[in-house]
Amino acid sequence: MWLILAMMEKNMLRYFYFLVISVCTLSFAGCGIKNTPPGEDSVTKELFAMDTYMSLTAYGDNAGEAVREAEDKIHELDRMLSAGNEKSEVSILNREGISTFSDDSINILKKSLEINAMTDGAFNPAIYPVMELWGFASGNYRVPGTDEINDVLAHTDVSCINISGSDVTVSDGTKVDFGGIAKGYTSSVIMRIFEQCGVTSGIVNLGGNVQTLGEKPDGSLWRTAIRHPVDDGYIGVVNVQDKAVITSGGYERYFEEDGKRYHHIIDPSTGAPSESGLLSVTVISSDGTLADGLSTALFVMGSDGAEGFWREHSEEFDFIIMDGQGKIKVSEGVSGVFESEYDYEVVKR
Ligand code: AMP
Ligand code: MG
């Protein structure tokens, strides 16, 4: 019988993470970093949605309206996209094999399929049967046998997903999971809402995934800290404007059994938690949806795979990765705006 030795207290850890990230993206007092603190011309809203703590800050005249609209949109997307909410469009699809998707769900599905193709399947929006098998969907974690894994892998083929207008169907037991991309899509949508409200400067932090609009009000770059996957503290800080900074790490969600840790980022080729050797992958891109999909995909690809993939797509994103030996690699496009107390290698085009 498998013995579950330890399970992370998910919400406690996330709350801690939220507090730390809030300090480090908004006020930075604890890490000797200075971002403009919210003042009279800014509005900040903190909330819990999509199973994580979030913080939204907008600056300028229409900041209040922008943040209110963004909050409404987050709750709307949460209701639509969560595979764990039985009324969501995704849950209906997974249960009934057919669902009418709203524009946002169609957008995120199409983008997921594009990223699946560009990453050669490393990002797989049809991974949900595997998430269920390992208990990540229910919280009843367990290590499945090889036969069980092979059985469910047969139901993770994206070609079983069909889109016809707003109608989506899945066949052959395929089930969809937007957990690897929903927050990046959401932060992208919030940036558009901020812009439509006339806001030119803002930052959102969705459980450690950050997206920024414009520069800080004082004209400087946003300083975004990247959490160290093992130790307290940070890998470093990346200074950005108009960019998403999105991180995937096994430490975000995992269980332990017989002394071994099993995390939530699945290698679609094995149906098991990825053992690529990477502990943390941060993707920096002006496209938040792409950044989120790629953070998951690069984690699966591993260090060499991520480097090779970046060379083919270096116009679209940059990365900061850390492996199990503590080696940090930073792609050339962000090396000039990255600060770290650790040694790191700059990956050239
Ligand atoms: P992230 O933190 O963005 O890397 O997303 C991890 C989440 O994405 C997991 O909790 C699953 O819901 C989902 N997921 C896990 N593995 C994959 C994969 N290979 N492709 C797409 N989504 C995945
Ligand atoms: Mg992701």
Side-chain angles (χ1 to χ4, degrees), residues 35-349:
N35 261 342
T36 311
E40 280 174 24
D41 64 343
S42 75
V43 173
T44 293
K45 174 77 191 185
E46 289 172 3
L47 63 142
F48 187 85
M50 299 184 174
D51 209 19
T52 198
Y53 290 90
M54 302 184 167
S55 165
L56 320 175
T57 298
Y59 293 84
D61 289 344
N62 300 328
E65 181 196 341
V67 166
R68 265 192 305 280
E69 280 190 29
E71 187 185 1
D72 289 348
K73 189 71 190 182
I74 288 170
H75 290 304
E76 183 191 327
L77 290 173
D78 196 5
R79 283 193 297 273
M80 274 174 207
L81 299 175
S82 165
N85 169 1
E86 63 177 29
K87 292 187 183 152
S88 74
E89 294 170 1
V90 174
S91 276
I92 293 170
L93 178 69
N94 290 346
R95 202 170 47 244
E96 299 177 12
I98 182 161
S99 184
T100 302
F101 271 19
S102 56
D103 289 350
D104 284 303
S105 300
I106 289 285
N107 288 343
I108 199 168
L109 177 57
K110 286 186 172 165
K111 190 81 182 192
S112 296
L113 294 171
E114 275 174 34
I115 297 174
N116 171 265
M118 87 188 271
T119 62
D120 211 11
F123 182 84
N124 185 344
I127 205 69
Y128 201 61
V130 181
M131 301 308 289
E132 288 184 309
L133 183 67
W134 287 81
F136 284 107
S138 62
N140 298 322
Y141 303 111
R142 72 185 187 94
V143 180
T146 314
D147 289 349
E148 290 176 281
I149 290 176
N150 289 336
D151 283 350
V152 298
L153 275 180
H155 306 293
T156 58
D157 184 348
V158 290
S159 66
C160 293
I161 304 171
N162 281 295
I163 306 172
S164 170
S166 56
D167 290 330
V168 180
T169 53
V170 286
S171 54
D172 196 26
T174 305
K175 294 182 182 181
V176 167
D177 177 9
F178 292 137
I181 198 169
K183 291 194 202 82
Y185 180 79
T186 302
S187 60
S188 284
V189 168
I190 295 172
M191 295 297 106
R192 299 296 81 75
I193 290 173
F194 280 11
E195 282 176 335
Q196 281 157 16
C197 290
V199 167
T200 54
S201 176
I203 183 166
V204 297
N205 180 344
L206 312 186
N209 293 325
V210 171
Q211 190 157 357
T212 62
L213 179 65
E215 303 163 330
K216 290 196 293 184
D218 66 5
S220 62
L221 299 177
W222 298 102
R223 297 173 63 68
T224 303
I226 298 163
R227 187 184 153 180
H228 196 292
V230 181
D231 301 334
D232 291 341
Y234 300 90
I235 289 179
V237 171
V238 63
N239 296 289
V240 293
Q241 75 177 78
D242 288 313
K243 291 272 195 284
V245 180
I246 296 197
T247 301
S248 288
Y251 60 85
E252 288 177 330
R253 209 165 154 213
Y254 63 86
F255 67 97
E256 286 179 15
E257 194 170 293
D258 291 342
K260 188 165 177 202
R261 186 177 284 196
Y262 299 91
H263 62 71
H264 68 135
I265 302 174
I266 302 296
D267 182 341
S269 68
T270 64
S274 161
E275 296 190 13
S276 69
L278 291 178
L279 299 186
S280 171
V281 172
T282 299
V283 171
I284 300 103
S285 172
S286 50
D287 180 341
T289 319
L290 180 74
D292 199 355
L294 290 186
S295 69
T296 310
L298 266 56
F299 192 96
V300 170
M301 288 177 195
S303 182
D304 291 348
E307 263 188 48
F309 181 82
W310 172 74
R311 286 201 180 87
E312 288 168 27
H313 300 275
S314 61
E315 298 305 312
E316 292 170 76
F317 77 96
D318 276 285
F319 69 78
I320 298 162
I321 58 180
M322 181 185 252
D323 71 14
Q325 280 71 50
K327 185 166 173 52
I328 299 171
K329 290 187 185 176
V330 178
S331 64
E332 199 178 358
V334 284
S335 59
V337 288
F338 180 64
E339 299 163 20
S340 178
E341 62 187 41
Y342 298 98
D343 291 338
Y344 59 89
E345 178 189 324
V346 176
V347 178
K348 307 265 186 202
R349 287 185 185 85

